Amino acid sequence: MLTALSIRDVVLIEALDLDFGAGLGVLTGETGAGKSILLDALGLALGGRGDSGLVRHGAGQAVVTASFDPPDASLSALLDGNGVEVEPGEPLLVRRVVKADGGSRAFINNQPASATLLREIAPRLVEIHGQHDDRGLLAARGHRALLDAFGRCDPSEVARAWIAYRTAEADLATARAEIETAARDREWLEHTVAELDKLNPLPGEEETLADQRRTMQRAEKIAGDLAAIGDFLDGSDGGLAQLRQAARVLERVAEDHPALADALAAIDRAVAESGVAEERLHEARLALAYDPRTLEDDEARLFELRAMARKHRVQPDGLATLAAELTARLERLDAGEGGIAKLEKTVATARAAYDKAATALTARRVAAATGLDAAVAGELAPLKLDAARFRTVVATQSPDGWSGAGKDRVEFEISTNPGAPFAPLTKIASGGELSRFILALKVALADQGGAATMVFDEIDRGVGGAVASAIGERLARLARATQLLVVTHSPQVAARGAAHLLIAKSSDGTVTRTGVRQLCEAERREEIARMLSGATVTDEARAQADRLLETA
């Protein structure tokens, strides 16, 4: 709900601060007093065009600030998604600054924002219905949602079916594209898979072969050294045999002197250690056995692996994985037609489910349209539109227009005269008729919610008497559920207001200003009497104003 509006240096308004409450607020004033300026200022705060012509003559800039009740969760989320922080429970402040030399800036809660964002949030805050307004109820793109709300047509099942259908179609398209690509590569795939199968690369094989190759190459180099060491140790003339012979001789004389016993012990230890050395040398010779044929085979295998890896631009250890991937790809290609058939069946099933849900939703919408048409028709006669007819068109769109909201295009149409063709609201109705059609629609859709604040600009233009009274009664009814601001020339409408603002123009001979003030009960009676009688307020007009206020 709009709680306050502050205007500085907008056209004829120098400084103006207004507070607004719930219910029906009426704005009156003589023609040319500046009622349109007030609405232009509100429109500017809601993202309207920042024209430098709005800046009051002599001022550097125009500033309009509108204050609203704390935003709900969805609006807070929208603002947060656009980088505007909103403190829970705090009012929403929207400010627009237009410079006299061109350019404008926008702020939400004193944080910079774009005019585009203001226009995006505006319909959630205020609906402005004027003679040239093309938003709100006049925008055909919103008619389907309004009809669904009126008829309580829940499109959630259709939305789920639509997602399933579109997902199945996407899966089928992806599979077809993959198979088409794979089919073009079949010859290459078959050749490569056969080549890799023949090679049969194993994970870690390259490192194992490289280690074996290094070992055998080293063995080739030290084979002569190992043979020489064996000659020194082995045989009847080898060092180990001579040590053993020396030990046998010492055993015979060791008792003759302690030193000889010590020498024998030392030689025994040497013989034992030499035996260990002999065993270890034997193990080393076995491990480092050099086989030229084996080395040649290992090198050939290693070169094959590395060449294949370079060919496919992978590491040698990745060849086994590549072989598995290409084999699986070839298998998918071979089994592709069966997979496509299965996906096509899934698409057909999902399409049938969507068709069923969308058809049921269409039937509910057609029934709701009948109810809405009847509800609007009941409002037309009291608004002096008894010759007009209203209808809700529910038409099936081409597949390009289908969505999670169903297959239907919904649009409100009218025929203003008997025998005249139906057409969209904006193409037939005159200014006054258009405003009254909007009012009739709003009354019919009263329970379906909308913006917390609605503004009607001169909805009573060109009517009076019983029609004006009917307009006032319906505005008051709407105002029970939402805040309503009405610019009016009709005393019957003005008398219905919970609050009455008077817009007046004044001049000191050099400067002309527009001001607005809230009227007390006595002032309100006098203003309604002026609206009834004209420039000269008569006692009869005052008496009639009293009767209007009493019956409102």
Side-chain angles (χ1 to χ4, degrees):
M1 183 179 77
L2 177 67
T3 57
L5 184 65
S6 174
I7 304 173
R8 296 291 184 273
D9 296 317
V10 175
V11 192
L12 298 179
I13 298 176
E14 185 174 6
L16 186 62
D17 294 293
L18 298 174
D19 294 323
F20 298 94
L24 177 61
V26 296
L27 294 86
T28 65
E30 295 182 354
T31 301
K35 296 184 290 296
S36 63
I37 298 174
L38 200 64
L39 296 185
D40 288 343
L42 179 58
L44 181 65
L46 296 172
R49 182 180 175 185
D51 191 339
S52 59
L54 291 172
V55 181
R56 187 174 64 87
H57 180 69
Q61 63 181 24
V63 183
V64 181
T65 304
S67 177
F68 297 89
D69 284 340
D72 59 21
S74 63
L75 181 53
S76 294
L78 173 62
L79 293 170
D80 184 65
N82 283 273
V84 178
E85 295 182 4
V86 179
E87 291 294 331
E90 291 297 315
L92 184 67
L93 298 177
V94 178
R95 178 161 53 96
R96 190 82 180 279
V97 179
V98 178
K99 295 183 178 180
D101 57 0
S104 68
R105 292 177 296 159
F107 302 88
I108 299 177
N109 283 9
N110 295 319
Q111 301 166 67
S114 65
T116 301
L117 180 57
L118 291 187
R119 287 191 290 272
E120 187 173 355
I121 68 172
R124 303 187 183 209
L125 300 173
V126 180
E127 291 181 24
I128 299 179
H129 299 294
Q131 295 181 54
H132 307 293
D133 184 49
D134 60 354
R135 298 170 297 174
L137 292 178
L138 301 187
R141 61 182 176 273
H143 292 176
R144 185 170 59 194
L146 288 170
L147 179 63
D148 284 351
F150 175 83
R152 290 173 172 76
C153 304
D154 183 4
S156 58
E157 182 181 353
V158 174
R160 289 191 295 271
W162 173 253
I163 291 172
Y165 172 44
R166 295 296 292 166
T167 300
E169 281 197 321
D171 290 344
L172 176 59
T174 299
R176 282 175 170 163
E178 286 181 351
I179 289 174
E180 183 179 348
T181 301
R184 290 196 300 266
D185 297 338
R186 175 183 281 278
E187 185 177 347
W188 176 84
L189 270 174
E190 290 175 340
H191 170 75
T192 303
V193 168
E195 190 177 47
L196 288 170
D197 284 347
K198 182 179 178 181
L199 182 63
N200 190 26
L202 301 174
E205 184 179 8
E206 189 248 3
E207 184 178 356
T208 300
L209 287 171
D211 287 343
Q212 291 177 183
R213 177 170 172 255
R214 282 192 296 270
T215 300
M216 281 191 287
Q217 287 175 334
R218 179 61 180 162
E220 183 181 11
K221 291 180 180 179
I222 66 174
D225 294 334
L226 291 176
I229 294 171
D231 290 342
F232 290 139
L233 293 176
D234 297 337
S236 58
D237 295 330
L240 185 57
Q242 292 180 6
L243 280 174
R244 287 174 178 150
Q245 186 176 356
R248 285 195 295 271
V249 173
L250 273 174
E251 284 179 350
R252 293 196 295 269
V253 298
E255 295 180 354
D256 294 337
H257 193 279
L260 293 175
D262 292 340
L264 176 60
I267 289 175
D268 286 342
R269 290 195 298 272
V271 169
E273 289 297 327
S274 296
V276 172
E278 188 178 36
E279 291 175 2
R280 299 300 291 167
L281 284 169
H282 179 68
E283 291 177 10
R285 278 197 296 268
L286 291 176
L288 294 172
Y290 167 62
D291 181 358
R293 180 63 179 270
T294 301
L295 176 59
E296 184 180 342
D297 290 345
D298 284 355
E299 285 185 333
R301 176 68 175 176
L302 187 59
F303 293 153
E304 272 190 299
L305 288 171
R306 289 176 173 173
M308 188 69 73
R310 285 194 300 272
K311 179 179 179 179
H312 294 289
R313 298 180 181 179
V314 296
Q315 293 298 318
D317 275 351
L319 287 172
T321 301
L322 176 64
E325 290 176 351
L326 295 182
T327 299
R329 185 173 165 187
L330 188 58
E331 289 172 352
R332 286 198 301 272
L333 177 58
D334 293 337
E337 291 305 320
I340 290 293
K342 184 177 180 181
L343 287 172
E344 287 175 340
K345 184 176 180 180
T346 300
V347 170
T349 301
R351 166 66 184 271
Y354 175 72
D355 287 342
K356 181 180 179 181
T359 300
L361 179 60
T362 298
R364 292 195 295 272
R365 283 173 173 158
V366 170
T370 301
L372 179 59
D373 293 350
V376 174
E379 298 293 334
L380 296 180
L383 297 175
K384 202 179 179 181
L385 294 170
D386 44 309
R389 291 175 298 154
F390 172 88
R391 75 177 183 186
T392 304
V393 176
V394 181
T396 300
Q397 303 182 95
S398 65
D400 289 344
W402 296 357
S403 70
K407 301 180 179 181
D408 308 315
R409 175 184 63 84
V410 176
E411 187 168 3
F412 301 147
E413 293 183 344
I414 60 170
S415 168
T416 52
N417 295 297
F422 282 91
L425 289 170
T426 52
K427 295 187 180 299
I428 289 185
S430 66
E433 287 177 329
L434 189 56
S435 295
R436 280 177 278 150
F437 265 112
I438 290 172
L439 179 58
L441 264 172
K442 266 298 177 184
V443 172
L445 296 167
D447 295 334
Q448 313 314 319
T453 300
M454 284 191 289
V455 178
F456 283 93
D457 183 14
E458 299 187 355
I459 192 173
D460 49 14
R461 176 184 289 270
V463 301
V467 177
S469 294
I471 291 174
E473 188 275 329
R474 281 156 178 78
L475 289 171
R477 195 194 314 168
L478 277 179
R480 295 171 191 161
T482 187
Q483 182 188 48
L484 218 63
L485 301 177
V486 181
V487 175
T488 181
H489 290 286
S490 168
Q492 291 90 341
V493 174
R496 292 278 183 174
H500 192 146
L501 299 176
L502 177 64
I503 304 171
K505 187 188 299 183
S506 63
S507 175
D508 59 6
T510 57
V511 178
T512 300
R513 298 180 177 85
T514 289
V516 181
R517 63 188 180 88
Q518 184 162 339
L519 302 182
C520 65
E521 283 302 313
E523 292 170 329
R524 186 180 178 195
R525 170 177 173 263
E526 196 69 11
E527 170 62 7
I528 292 174
R530 181 200 64 76
M531 295 171 73
L532 286 164
S533 64
T536 302
V537 180
T538 64
D539 289 339
E540 182 181 353
R542 292 187 179 95
Q544 189 175 353
D546 286 336
R547 288 192 293 272
L548 287 175
L549 289 169
E550 288 172 1
T551 57

